[in-house]
């Protein structure tokens, strides 16, 4: 495979016609705008999609994208552990849009969820505020705020986010089975 392990937005735009693009964000995030031609396979469905991704990788170079690059980097490591070589888009769809490249917005988007980072910020803030408010009744409630703070530090140090993993399991962040089946069929058909 000739694809380097990371492509910047200009490199990806130049090669977009020859790349198989996998977007590992949640379906709601994907619906808010994605690279033209990108197929949505949420990060937590990657293992299920491995046979079809392996088949697609035999036909062409794979580019994995997410919002900022963190989830796609994790996906690349997961795929590499299964012998599938991929590249990630440096800075993700955020950098793609910031550099003036077009994002595709489906005409029939059934839902428009917030991106995962925004969902995490809302949830973390709400838990911290609730913990502090209830801490006035009993100091033990402040532990919820401390737990979120510790989780955020851990997330920054490891470049992972447990809260995002949990939020990804909420119904509005889950793919419809038909959508995922259509994506896997597209990977097989090429």
């Amino acid at each position: 495979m000739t694809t380097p392990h990371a492509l910047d937005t200009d490199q990806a735009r130049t090669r977009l016609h020859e790349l198989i693009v996998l977007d590992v964000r949640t379906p709601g995030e994907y619906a808010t705008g994605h690279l033209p031609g990108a197929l949505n396979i949420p990060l937590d469905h990657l293992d299920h999609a491995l046979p079809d991704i392996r088949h697609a990788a035999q036909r062409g170079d794979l580019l994995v994208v997410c919002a900022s690059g963190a989830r796609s980097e994790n996906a690349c490591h997961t795929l590499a552990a299964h012998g599938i070589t991929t590249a990630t888009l440096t800075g993700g769809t955020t950098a793609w849009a910031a550099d003036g490249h077009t994002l595709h917005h489906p005409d029939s988007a059934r839902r428009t969820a917030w991106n995962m980072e925004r969902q995490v910020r809302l949830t973390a803030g709400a838990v911290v505020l609730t913990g502090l408010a209830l801490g006035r009744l009993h100091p033990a409630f402040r532990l919820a705020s401390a737990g979120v703070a510790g989780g955020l530090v851990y997330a920054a140090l490891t470049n992972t986010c447990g809260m995002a993993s949990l939020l990804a399991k909420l119904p509005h962040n889950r793919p419809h089975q038909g959508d995922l089946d259509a994506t896997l069929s597209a990977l097989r058909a090429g």
Side-chain angles (χ1 to χ4, degrees), residues 29 67-68 71 114-122:
E29 292 176 291
S68 66
R71 284 179 278 178
W114 288 354
N115 71 36
M116 189 55 65
E117 181 182 341
R118 187 175 181 191
Q119 291 180 51
V120 168
R121 288 192 315 248
L122 174 69

Side-chain angles (χ1 to χ4, degrees), residues 26-149:
T26 66
E29 292 176 291
Y30 174 82
T32 64
H34 54 271
L35 273 67
L39 299 170
N40 185 221
I41 301 178
L43 185 59
D44 61 343
H45 283 74
L46 213 53
D47 287 336
H48 173 71
L50 279 172
D52 298 310
I53 294 171
R54 182 173 285 111
H55 179 75
Q58 293 171 353
R59 292 189 325 273
D61 293 343
L62 299 177
L63 177 66
V64 182
V65 301
C66 67
S68 66
R71 284 179 278 178
S72 61
E73 187 176 320
N74 290 338
C76 287
H77 289 298
T78 298
L79 294 171
H82 288 88
I84 302 170
T85 304
T86 59
T88 185
L89 178 63
T90 304
T93 56
T94 302
W96 179 269
D99 287 346
H101 304 306
T102 303
L103 287 175
H104 176 73
H105 299 276
D107 296 331
S108 61
R110 287 186 292 238
R111 53 189 165 198
T112 55
W114 288 354
N115 71 36
M116 189 55 65
E117 181 182 341
R118 187 175 181 191
Q119 291 180 51
V120 168
R121 288 192 315 248
L122 174 69
T123 304
V127 171
V128 167
L129 287 175
T130 302
L132 291 174
L134 292 175
R136 295 180 59 83
L137 299 174
H138 192 282
F141 284 112
R142 293 185 188 141
L143 291 176
S145 299
V148 169

